[in-house]
Amino acid sequence: MNIQSKSEVIEILSMPQETFEKEIIPQAQKASKDALSGNLLVTSMMGYSNICKNNCLYCGMRAKNNSIHRFRIEPEDVIHACVEAKNNGFRRTFLISGEDPKYGFENILKIVSKLKEENMFVSLACGEFEKSQFDELKDAGVDEYVLKFEMSNPKSFNDLNPSTTFEKRMKSIEYIKSIGMKLASGNIVDWPGQSMDELADDILLMKKLDISWAPIIPYLPALNTPLAEKKKRGDLLTLYKEIAILRLMMPRVNITAQQPGVDMTKGLSDIDGNMAAINAGANVLFFDLLCDADAKSFRVIDDRNITGPTHIFKIANMTGRNLILE
C-alpha cells in the first residue's frame, strides 16, 4: 500500500477499528517484515538532567513545575552507565535531558566523545542550539539528533511552546539534516484540541523530513501542567493508526514501540501497550539506565515507568522477534 496524499492518510485515520485491524494492520506487519525482517531495535536510555528552562504547557519537566525533584547526573556517571550497558551487549544509547542551561555544553560534548570512543551509536535529545553548537555535536560524533516538532501547525506549536517558536524549531531541524546527522522527530498524538487535519499534516511532515526515527507518543497528562486540565489522555487507536501509516509510508523508519496501554499507571512498559504498538508496525524498545529515584523524577509525563532489559527480553519472547542490540 503506497500512501502519498493527505486524503489517504485521513481515510485511514477515520476508519472504524474493525476495518483498520482487518485491512491496514496486516499490510503494516508485512511492511515491517519486508523492510526490517520484523526485528526489534533496542537502545538504552539515560535522562541525565530533568532541569529545563522552558515552559511547554504539556511537559511535566517545565520550569514552573515545582512539584518534582530536580537532578543532574555528572558526565562521568553518564559515561559509566552507558559503557556498562555497552559491555552487556547494548551498543545503542539515547541521551536525553531538559534544556538545562547550566549542565554545560562542554560536558555534553565530553559524554558524546567518550561514548564514540567506545564505538557506541549515540542518539541525543537536549533541545535547540545555535548552528555552531550543532556543528560541534556532529564533530563529536552524534549519530542521530532527536528534536520533535511536536505539532506541525505553527499557531498550535507557538501556543503550547511559549519558550520558543515553530520557525526556530524548524530551522534547527533543517540544519540538523543539512550537516548530516540523522534526524529523529515526530508529534504528540491526539493532544487536547488537535484536529484530524492537523494530525494528518503531522504525519506528512515526518515523511517530508525523511526522519530516521519517529519518537512518537500519545498525549499523556503531566501533573501541574496547564494542558492536563483539559484532557485525560490521547486515543490509543489513533496512535496505532499513525504507527501503521508511518510504517507503510516509510517502511524502514524506526518507530517507538514503548507505548502505554489502557492502564496508565503501568507507564511505557505496559506489556499490552508495547505489544499493540509492535502489532501496528512499531519496532523500537528502550530501557532506563537511571536509578529508581531519578527515573521517577524524569517526569515528562506521569507514570513514565520505563524498566530494565528484562522487560525487553520478555517482549521479544512473546512476539517471537529478534532483538537488534547494535
Side-chain angles (χ1 to χ4, degrees):
M1 186 174 189
N2 186 18
I3 304 171
Q4 296 292 334
S5 69
K6 185 173 181 178
S7 62
E8 290 171 317
V9 172
I10 290 178
E11 180 182 358
I12 296 175
L13 292 175
S14 304
M15 279 183 179
Q17 181 172 350
E18 183 178 354
T19 306
F20 168 69
E21 292 178 349
K22 181 180 179 180
E23 298 183 4
I24 305 302
I25 287 288
Q27 295 186 63
Q29 291 175 344
K30 184 179 185 302
S32 179
K33 183 177 181 180
D34 290 347
L36 305 172
S37 301
N39 295 326
L40 302 175
L41 184 64
V42 181
T43 181
S44 62
M45 179 179 185
M46 168 59 84
Y48 62 87
S49 171
N50 71 346
I51 297 169
C52 189
K53 67 181 182 180
N54 297 333
N55 274 299
C56 304
L57 271 64
Y58 47 82
C59 181
M61 295 193 328
R62 66 195 308 264
K64 291 184 179 179
N65 188 352
N66 297 318
S67 66
I68 63 173
H69 167 71
R70 302 287 181 169
F71 67 84
R72 292 187 181 102
I73 308 295
E74 291 295 324
E76 292 76 12
D77 294 328
V78 175
I79 294 165
H80 175 79
C82 293
V83 171
E84 186 174 3
K86 179 250 184 180
N87 290 339
N88 285 320
F90 301 97
R91 194 178 71 85
R92 300 179 68 99
T93 194
F94 174 32
L95 303 174
I96 181 171
S97 75
E99 289 199 31
D100 181 354
K102 294 185 179 180
Y103 191 83
F105 186 71
E106 68 283 356
N107 286 328
I108 299 172
L109 295 175
K110 174 182 177 181
I111 292 169
V112 173
S113 297
K114 290 293 185 181
L115 297 185
K116 293 308 296 181
E117 288 176 9
E118 295 286 337
N119 196 32
M120 296 186 70
F121 183 98
V122 178
S123 297
L124 178 65
C126 46
E128 297 171 352
F129 287 110
E130 299 297 326
K131 289 183 177 181
S132 61
Q133 291 174 300
F134 281 124
D135 289 332
E136 290 183 79
L137 290 170
K138 174 67 164 56
D139 291 342
V142 171
D143 296 284
E144 179 179 63
Y145 199 86
V146 185
L147 187 60
K148 294 176 69 173
F149 60 79
E150 308 290 19
M151 52 277 305
S152 59
N153 181 291
K155 183 180 186 306
S156 297
F157 181 94
N158 293 339
D159 287 346
L160 298 179
N161 299 271
S163 304
T164 186
T165 66
F166 183 77
E167 181 182 14
K168 183 178 180 182
R169 178 62 53 91
M170 292 307 299
K171 282 184 177 179
S172 293
I173 283 173
E174 293 294 348
Y175 191 70
I176 289 164
K177 287 181 59 65
S178 74
I179 60 175
M181 283 193 286
K182 292 182 178 181
L183 171 70
S185 190
N187 65 335
I188 301 172
V189 181
D190 197 27
W191 52 268
Q194 183 185 53
S195 68
M196 188 176 295
D197 192 74
E198 286 179 308
L199 179 58
D201 285 338
D202 289 354
I203 293 170
L204 292 171
L205 180 55
M206 284 182 263
K207 169 71 173 177
K208 180 181 178 181
L209 292 173
D210 191 26
I211 58 174
S212 56
W213 169 25
I216 59 174
I217 193 170
Y219 169 72
L220 296 169
L223 188 66
N224 295 327
T225 59
L227 215 60
E229 301 172 0
K230 298 185 178 182
K231 187 175 182 178
K232 291 184 177 180
R233 66 172 303 160
D235 179 64
L236 292 178
L237 178 59
T238 302
L239 168 71
Y240 304 144
K241 288 178 178 179
E242 177 169 319
I243 290 172
I245 292 168
L246 288 172
R247 179 56 64 214
L248 291 167
M249 289 181 71
M250 308 171 68
R252 297 197 61 82
V253 72
N254 291 319
I255 306 172
T256 296
Q258 205 88 19
Q259 301 288 355
V262 175
D263 183 354
M264 289 195 298
T265 64
K266 294 181 179 179
L268 302 182
S269 290
D270 181 280
I271 294 289
D272 293 337
N274 291 185
M275 294 286 285
I278 292 168
N279 187 56
N283 69 308
V284 178
L285 294 167
F286 39 85
F287 63 93
D288 211 334
L289 297 179
L290 287 173
C291 67
D292 288 345
D294 287 341
K296 290 178 181 178
S297 297
F298 199 82
R299 287 179 55 188
V300 178
I301 58 173
D302 290 345
D303 299 312
R304 178 172 158 270
N305 297 352
I306 296 175
T307 55
T310 300
H311 169 79
I312 290 172
F313 290 118
K314 183 175 182 178
I315 292 289
N317 183 59
M318 293 176 69
T319 59
R321 303 195 184 198
N322 295 322
L323 297 177
I324 304 300
L325 309 182
E326 55 183 34

